[in-house]
Amino acid sequence: MSVVSRRSLLLTGGTAVAAGAVLTGAGATVLGPAARAAMLTAPSGYSLTMTVNGVETGQQLTATSAADTAFVAGSWHGDIVLTVTTADDVTWQQHVYPFRQALYVDSTGVVSGYSVLAAATGGQVTNSAAADIRIRSTGECFDGIVVNGGSYTLVRPVINLIGNGRCDFVGYGAALLADNTGTRVVVDGAVISNAGAVRTAAICDNGATLVVKNSSLSVRNGTLAADYVPTVNLDTMEDAPWMLGLNGAGNCRATNLLGNNSIAAYVNTSITSESWGVLSTDSGSDCTLVAVNSIVTNTGDSGYGTYVIGNATEYLLGTEFNVGTYATIFTGGTATYGDSDQATVAGLNTSLSLGLTDRELRELPVRRTVVNSRRFGFMWHAASTLNIGGGTQVNSPHATFLNKGQQIAVTVDGSKGARLNPADGILVQVIDNDDPGPVMVNGVLENAGVYTQPTGEPTKDTTFDVTAVHSTDSALSFSDITLNGNFYNGMRGNLNLVLDFASSDVTGVITATLAEHLVDTITSANWWELGAVTNTAQAAINNGVIVSLTGSTWTVTGTSYLTSLTLDSASAVTGPHGRKVTLTVDGTATAITPGTTYTGALVIAPA
């Protein structure tokens, strides 16, 4: 590392002037005004960073979706420090990302050759920990702290990065990055506040472990280049895919969990994003995410609390979700929502080696999880599992469970007070996948697909048994709970809705439907129409409804079309206020007798 200090610096019209001096350091030069298109540069194999009064500044991306940054025209006055560091290049997919960071740590401790220490002000920095440091940036793609190997502790860091990052799949532009197997980072009392596209607060990647406690992490959107093209190409994706039912203007996820077997835990921490994701997992496999007694928030008009992909396992305990669109999007893995009881938290602390002390565990209050969503509860785009228990409350204006044609397994245990509260009365909504996907334009996957509502009745597939349970079905089990709401299977394709109720009381309609979107065509211009459908109850075509009651009562509030009904001797099917119901099986009036299974075209209605 080489450092040169200045009191003033002027860059105009591509010309660099630095108080009449030449930066020598590791060979970097400042060219005088006579040099055409001159600029501040570092020699091959090195990077150059400027801080003004301890704030990194002056550089921007050289082009839309580029990875390199360069100094821009401007003038700076104050305590100006030019720092030359060894190049820290990270290759991922099609780009080489030239990382620059205030603090770089590996298994030996702080690596000064990779660290822009002039950007880490105040506090104390050692090879094992940093306390009370402050890192600020108004340039682009500058990282706060990168830990790549060994164990490191951060106490009360304050990090404020303003300006766009570039890639949150590698942490290029993030406040905090824990990277690679064997890396363990513990953060206590952090305040991280970023504003900019892809200016992520915290990233854990490639098998690292990141534990964040007693902290506040928040990110706000930035402004992407006017010629940026929305895409799901991971190397150039910088905004939310609208096909998820999110506002594509969202361009900053608060956190990201990546790679294989990475672990991230957030304890007593507030994490906030504007209109994309808060606790994201992506581009990896078998990661584990934990949130205990934390607050997860979207401040904008859309967004999700967590994302489940790549066989991720998530534990959301005693945590409050205030989200724009979904508590969780599922595309492969398992999420468990429950209380932060000491036994459960202590078990995770041990199994995941989180390092919480006995005192910290004792002092964690037991809390229930509360989901407050401004649209849906949970949404599926691929086979996944959801467990809800403890005193978890799920509040949403629309369907609690929105399944877009996927194999799912949901278990809800209400024995400790779990409750589901959809304002529109829809507990389960199954529809065909309405994600139009990207389209290839000049070799680029652009988010320009169009969803078109199918017309007419689905065509019957005579090879699919709507009365049988298949391993690929949409299956939900409820126990010890009171449920008020409707269950709709609006699939056109082959998928049965399988519902098991044990020791529960359910009041509502359970039926096959014809589900239709509110508009015929959906594009990025009306992204909010995804998932919004009307239901017309009708006999199943390829969308069987299979109901099993064990020690439970179903109060039928409207005509319901099933393909199988099983009730044990302790169960009952009744109408509102104890009135009788009618049942026809393949058109024949049939009495409902406890301890019996009925299959075929079933129609149940209040008498």
Side-chain angles (χ1 to χ4, degrees), residues 104-111 114 127 146-152 183:
Y104 185 99
V105 179
D106 67 11
S107 59
T108 67
V110 176
V111 182
Y114 288 145
N127 282 331
V146 174
V147 183
N148 186 359
S151 296
Y152 205 74
T183 299

Side-chain angles (χ1 to χ4, degrees), residues 156-173:
R156 298 180 299 276
V158 176
I159 305 176
N160 181 218
L161 309 182
I162 306 300
N164 289 350
R166 169 59 181 82
C167 180
D168 64 1
F169 290 94
V170 293
Y172 189 50

Side-chain angles (χ1 to χ4, degrees), residues 154-518:
L154 297 163
V155 180
R156 298 180 299 276
V158 176
I159 305 176
N160 181 218
L161 309 182
I162 306 300
N164 289 350
R166 169 59 181 82
C167 180
D168 64 1
F169 290 94
V170 293
Y172 189 50
L176 175 62
L177 169 62
D179 197 12
N180 282 319
T181 301
T183 299
R184 175 182 173 78
V185 181
V186 177
V187 183
D188 194 351
V191 177
I192 299 176
S193 178
N194 293 353
V198 208
R199 202 65 148 154
T200 319
I203 289 180
C204 182
D205 197 0
N206 293 319
T209 295
L210 172 65
V211 179
V212 180
K213 53 191 179 183
N214 310 315
S215 297
S216 173
L217 283 58
S218 66
V219 299
R220 291 179 287 121
N221 293 330
T223 301
L224 290 166
D227 60 345
Y228 171 76
V229 177
T231 179
V232 291
N233 182 333
L234 301 188
D235 203 23
T236 50
M237 186 175 77
E238 299 179 50
D239 60 358
W242 68 267
M243 302 90 76
L244 295 174
L246 304 177
N247 186 346
N251 55 45
C252 191
R253 292 183 274 195
T255 70
N256 216 355
L257 180 60
L258 305 159
N260 300 331
N261 304 300
S262 305
I263 299 171
Y266 299 87
V267 181
N268 191 36
T269 292
S270 171
I271 316 104
T272 301
S273 75
E274 192 168 347
S275 50
W276 192 353
V278 185
L279 298 174
S280 173
T281 59
D282 212 330
S283 186
S285 63
D286 302 306
C287 292
T288 303
L289 173 68
V290 177
V292 177
N293 287 14
S294 293
I295 300 175
V296 174
T297 303
N298 296 128
T299 59
D301 59 359
S302 75
Y304 61 78
T306 81
Y307 202 94
V308 176
I309 194 172
N311 197 38
T313 302
E314 300 185 357
Y315 300 94
L316 300 318
L317 309 175
T319 292
E320 178 183 327
F321 289 78
N322 300 297
V323 294
T325 313
Y326 318 102
T328 296
I329 296 176
F330 291 91
T331 57
T334 300
T336 297
Y337 282 70
D339 298 343
S340 57
D341 62 274
Q342 291 187 353
T344 301
V345 177
L348 290 174
N349 186 52
T350 299
S351 64
L352 300 176
S353 300
L354 300 182
L356 299 176
T357 66
D358 290 341
R359 179 176 178 178
E360 287 177 314
L361 292 171
R362 287 195 306 271
E363 292 181 351
L364 274 175
V366 178
R367 294 177 180 166
R368 68 179 183 179
T369 291
V370 177
V371 172
N372 298 308
S373 172
R374 296 188 289 281
R375 290 211 73 194
F376 305 100
F378 308 90
M379 188 269 280
W380 282 262
H381 262 155
S384 303
T385 299
L386 169 63
N387 304 304
I388 296 176
T392 301
Q393 309 283 302
V394 183
N395 307 307
S396 60
H398 304 297
T400 304
F401 305 111
L402 175 62
N403 179 13
K404 297 192 175 184
Q406 308 302 319
Q407 171 192 336
I408 72 172
V410 175
T411 300
V412 181
D413 178 1
S415 61
K416 294 183 180 179
R419 293 293 179 266
L420 311 176
N421 304 307
D424 67 357
I426 301 177
L427 286 162
V428 176
Q429 177 71 69
V430 184
I431 61 174
D432 287 86
N433 191 1
D434 57 5
D435 181 348
V439 295
M440 190 68 72
V441 179
N442 297 324
V444 177
L445 283 172
E446 296 186 8
N447 296 347
V450 177
Y451 175 79
T452 302
Q453 171 66 42
T455 58
E457 293 284 342
T459 300
K460 173 66 176 176
D461 181 350
T462 58
T463 67
F464 182 71
D465 188 350
V466 295
T467 69
V469 175
H470 308 276
S471 61
T472 54
D473 283 338
S474 176
L476 300 94
S477 299
F478 303 88
S479 62
D480 299 290
I481 193 169
T482 298
L483 298 165
N484 290 282
N486 303 323
F487 301 76
Y488 295 137
N489 186 1
M491 275 290 292
R492 299 175 67 89
N494 299 345
L495 188 80
N496 291 337
L497 174 60
V498 180
L499 301 170
D500 289 306
F501 302 98
S503 303
S504 297
D505 292 313
V506 54
T507 299
V509 172
I510 304 175
T511 186
T513 72
L514 178 66
E516 298 177 292
H517 286 79
L518 306 181

Side-chain angles (χ1 to χ4, degrees), residues 510-533:
I510 304 175
T511 186
T513 72
L514 178 66
E516 298 177 292
H517 286 79
L518 306 181
V519 296
D520 293 332
T521 302
I522 304 174
T523 69
S524 60
N526 59 338
W527 55 269
W528 59 87
E529 300 287 1
L530 292 172
V533 298

